[in-house]
Amino acid sequence: MRRTGYVSLLCAVVLYAGSRFVSRFGIDEQIPGVELEPLTLLALTLASILLATYGSYIISRTYLMDHTQNKRRQHDVRNVLRLTFGILGMVAVFGVVTREWVSVLFSLGVLGFAVTFALQQPLFSLIGWLYIMTKRPYQVGDRIAIEEMRGDVVAVDFFVTEVWEIDGDLVSSNQPSGRIVTVPNSTVLSSRVVNFYGEGVQYVWNELSIQVAYETDLQFASEVMIDVATDHLGDEMAKQVREYRDRLAETPVELDVNEQPTVNITQGESWVELRLRYLVHPRRGTRMRNALYADILERFNEHPDRVKFPVSRNR
């Protein structure tokens, strides 16, 4: 790609030199009613500007991509460069066409006020994109919930955000539906955004509930659930909790966070509900819940005298 950029710049220099040659020596030919010299000069100049803009964009993008390892940052850099060189190229073209740079800039300012009323939603979406780039409510690769939609962000363009939907009308249990949902960037300015995979703390708290009978040895059942969760999560959860505490230390929030899974007991009308609380990566939530269910129920069934289920009661 970088070679393409250099070739474009070389062609731009050749075309600009050609325009200077035409300007100095002139062209006597003309077609009926139209002189060729002004048209040729304008065409060569515009072509040189467009090629120079494109070549500079390619070279800048290639250089920054080579020095940016994070794919999320690469996506953002590419969008910023497209916007920057697009604006510069547009201003240069208008300036050449009108031959009045100051008038062009002034006209763009007046035009900006006019289109504000005609294109409010696209402008709000562009402002939303700038907000996303600066404040980072989410970025490419994050799992988010916005309005009534949940999914993984696959692209953030100037006007819209593309999200790979999870759950939705087709599936459940945090599974991808295969559909791409397009959300206007302006939505981030007026709606609540939940980021399940942001910078800093990339894990979320989950709960797993199991209903047992009142005759159950609740202490034994709780210990079994904690042991199973510790076998599956163990050091990984402890590490993430330490990072969670470091993040909390930077805020005025005071919160006690356990490094190991815990069990909360809730009383129901005909059963007792044991709620296992643990920390897990959001994309492994369903898989981890299934594994925990299978192992916990297997351990419970090994001790029917200590763990009983409310099978014969209304549930």
Side-chain angles (χ1 to χ4, degrees):
M1 289 297 293
R2 183 173 298 178
R3 179 178 300 178
T4 303
Y6 288 131
V7 171
S8 298
L9 287 180
L10 179 60
C11 293
V13 172
V14 172
L15 290 175
Y16 181 76
S19 67
R20 295 301 89 198
F21 179 85
V22 172
S23 176
R24 181 173 181 179
F25 296 101
I27 298 178
D28 297 332
E29 287 76 8
Q30 63 178 8
I31 60 178
V34 179
E35 295 183 359
L36 288 180
E37 180 178 345
L39 292 178
T40 304
L41 183 61
L42 179 62
L44 291 174
T45 304
L46 291 179
S48 66
I49 290 176
L50 294 176
L51 286 173
T53 303
Y54 177 74
S56 300
Y57 164 73
I58 293 297
I59 293 174
S60 301
R61 190 187 71 174
T62 304
Y63 175 81
L64 293 176
M65 293 297 104
D66 292 341
H67 291 77
T68 305
Q69 301 300 324
N70 192 309
K71 292 184 178 180
R72 301 182 180 188
R73 300 299 182 190
Q74 290 179 352
H75 181 274
D76 296 339
V77 167
R78 184 165 53 249
N79 281 340
V80 171
L81 289 177
R82 284 168 53 194
L83 180 63
T84 301
F85 282 98
I87 293 176
L88 292 176
M90 182 180 64
V91 172
V93 168
F94 284 172
V96 170
V97 172
T98 62
R99 299 180 181 276
E100 295 289 343
W101 288 88
V102 177
S103 298
V104 168
L105 295 177
F106 178 76
S107 299
L108 289 177
V110 174
L111 182 62
F113 285 105
V115 299
T116 298
F117 298 97
L119 302 174
Q120 291 187 26
Q121 189 61 41
L123 288 176
F124 285 151
S125 293
L126 185 59
I127 294 173
W129 175 77
L130 294 174
Y131 175 79
I132 294 170
M133 291 297 101
T134 55
K135 300 300 292 184
R136 294 294 184 186
Y138 59 80
Q139 54 186 322
V140 173
D142 289 351
R143 173 162 292 184
I144 66 171
I146 183 169
E147 292 188 330
E148 299 180 356
M149 185 276 308
R150 300 175 62 191
D152 298 319
V153 180
V154 295
V156 181
D157 293 327
F158 299 131
F159 301 106
V160 298
T161 294
E162 294 183 357
V163 180
W164 188 12
E165 183 190 50
I166 60 174
D167 290 346
D169 302 329
L170 303 178
V171 296
S172 59
S173 301
N174 293 328
Q175 298 300 312
S177 67
R179 301 189 300 189
I180 296 294
V181 180
T182 300
V183 182
N185 290 337
S186 58
T187 307
V188 74
L189 303 175
S190 58
S191 300
R192 183 184 67 176
V193 177
V194 179
N195 193 334
F196 296 90
Y197 185 66
E199 294 183 355
V201 180
Q202 299 180 351
Y203 281 56
V204 295
W205 293 97
N206 271 11
E207 283 192 353
L208 180 151
S209 299
I210 295 181
Q211 299 166 353
V212 296
Y214 275 96
E215 295 82 4
T216 296
D217 184 342
L218 298 181
Q219 181 177 356
F220 172 77
S222 298
E223 291 175 353
V224 168
M225 296 177 70
I226 292 175
D227 289 342
V228 171
T230 302
D231 291 340
H232 281 275
L233 299 167
D235 297 337
E236 180 184 7
M237 177 173 170
K239 176 183 177 181
Q240 295 301 323
V241 169
R242 287 193 293 270
E243 294 184 2
Y244 191 78
R245 288 174 175 171
D246 293 340
R247 183 69 180 273
L248 284 176
E250 301 174 358
T251 71
V253 178
E254 296 183 2
L255 185 64
D256 186 20
V257 183
N258 293 313
E259 289 189 0
Q260 299 298 326
T262 58
V263 173
N264 298 320
I265 302 176
T266 303
Q267 182 181 5
E269 294 182 359
S270 302
W271 61 82
V272 177
E273 187 172 346
L274 304 179
R275 296 180 178 177
L276 175 66
R277 178 177 168 84
Y278 55 94
L279 197 66
V280 67
H281 193 283
R283 291 195 176 91
R284 299 205 309 268
T286 300
R287 185 165 65 251
M288 181 58 64
R289 183 182 290 110
N290 292 339
L292 291 175
Y293 264 129
D295 289 352
I296 290 173
L297 292 178
E298 182 180 355
R299 293 277 297 275
F300 281 176
N301 290 328
E302 293 175 355
H303 302 275
D305 56 328
R306 307 186 69 176
V307 180
K308 300 182 182 300
F309 298 98
V311 178
S312 60
R313 299 173 182 170
N314 295 327
R315 302 185 68 183

